[in-house]
Amino acid sequence: MQQLKWLLTISGILVLIAGLGAGFLDHVGVMYVAFLGFIGLLVTANLDRISEFKASRSGIEAKTREVIARAESTLSELQMLARNVGELTLSLVKRSGRMGGYSDDEQEKIKASVLEVLAKLGVAETELPNILGEWNRFIEFDYTHAILGGSTIPESVDPAVVAEWQALRRGGIAGIPSPEAIREFLTSHGFLTLELEEYIKDYEHFRTHKAHRRPAVWREREHRQRLKKP
């Protein structure tokens, strides 16, 4: 009997995870079916814990403090699972193919779907900055990548400047250079132009507000040219 309980519980969790993944990818109907399946399997696994049934006009009520407590605990764990799966989904979307992977519109659609599902599951808005943490770091990384001319070495510079340029890029997602550090590099080596200064302001704006200052310019980031002196 105990083995059957574990089998039903584990099956329910697997159904729930699959449903959350489908919901985050905009298949919300599948998520609801999976959630109902999860609840059904969980209840089936714990039928022996339900101490009283009561018939009413609205249906059948299962009354027991233990079941209620377990349901509240399950909801809390479900929200925690949803946060973790949501964060992982957003991270995978950003990592997938990087430039040339999902289009900006596709990324934003998936992000909106994830946030909608999390809201319906009762995840607090105060949790969103953590859930979107890596998503936003990838955007900051792409800003720095575009400002520094992509992967193309700056034009007509000596090895010391190239080494400094590479150092700014070496940290990856974990060590993204600040707008101030980029501005200082560009200024000290004569690369800073009015256009690049506006790009740096875009980057600063996103770091502060987590929104794009010039969405149309952001969409053209892949077409940035290598750094060169005016």
Side-chain angles (χ1 to χ4, degrees):
M1 184 66 178
Q2 190 64 31
Q3 291 179 340
L4 179 59
K5 286 184 180 181
W6 277 110
L7 177 61
L8 290 170
T9 301
I10 292 172
S11 298
I13 291 172
L14 292 176
V15 168
L16 176 63
I17 292 174
L20 285 173
F24 291 151
L25 294 175
D26 210 25
H27 300 293
V28 179
V30 176
M31 184 199 70
Y32 287 143
V33 172
F35 182 69
L36 291 175
F38 165 71
I39 296 298
L41 287 167
L42 196 65
V43 170
T44 302
N46 292 275
L47 280 176
D48 60 323
R49 295 179 180 271
I50 299 177
S51 61
E52 177 186 350
F53 281 97
K54 176 185 176 183
S56 68
R57 292 183 180 180
S58 59
I60 296 177
E61 300 175 12
K63 287 189 173 182
T64 173
R65 291 182 180 179
E66 185 177 1
V67 169
I68 293 172
R70 288 172 65 85
E72 290 174 347
S73 175
T74 298
L75 177 59
S76 177
E77 291 167 0
L78 171 60
Q79 290 173 341
M80 183 181 298
L81 178 62
R83 289 194 294 270
N84 292 338
V85 174
E87 184 176 356
L88 176 61
T89 301
L90 293 173
S91 176
L92 290 175
V93 168
K94 278 297 183 185
R95 292 175 186 273
S96 179
R98 299 300 295 124
M99 300 300 187
Y102 290 98
S103 69
D104 287 339
D105 288 339
E106 289 171 332
Q107 290 185 30
E108 289 301 320
K109 184 177 180 180
I110 293 172
K111 174 187 172 184
S113 177
V114 168
L115 297 182
E116 179 184 2
V117 171
L118 293 176
K120 288 179 178 179
L121 291 174
V123 175
E125 287 190 17
T126 54
E127 299 281 352
L128 297 185
N130 290 331
I131 294 169
L132 291 168
E134 190 157 296
W135 175 279
N136 290 330
R137 281 196 297 275
F138 271 107
I139 293 178
E140 291 178 17
F141 175 83
D142 286 345
Y143 267 114
T144 65
H145 188 79
I147 294 169
L148 293 171
S151 300
T152 307
I153 294 174
E155 184 179 279
S156 303
V157 296
D158 59 48
V161 176
V162 173
E164 192 176 340
W165 174 80
Q166 290 174 333
L168 286 172
R169 297 163 42 84
R170 193 173 295 133
I173 299 301
I176 302 171
S178 67
E180 295 78 14
I182 294 177
R183 184 181 282 113
E184 181 180 349
F185 168 77
L186 297 177
T187 301
S188 62
H189 298 295
F191 292 123
L192 189 63
T193 62
L194 291 176
E195 181 184 12
L196 284 173
E197 176 60 30
E198 290 301 311
Y199 268 98
I200 294 174
K201 289 179 180 178
D202 291 342
Y203 177 27
E204 289 173 327
H205 181 88
F206 184 84
R207 280 175 60 123
T208 302
H209 302 288
K210 300 300 181 280
H212 298 297
R213 174 172 169 256
R214 298 186 297 169
V217 174
W218 163 252
R219 288 175 176 273
E220 298 297 318
R221 62 194 178 281
E222 295 182 43
H223 305 297
R224 285 290 306 145
Q225 301 298 313
R226 68 192 297 184
L227 291 177
K228 59 183 178 180
K229 297 181 181 180

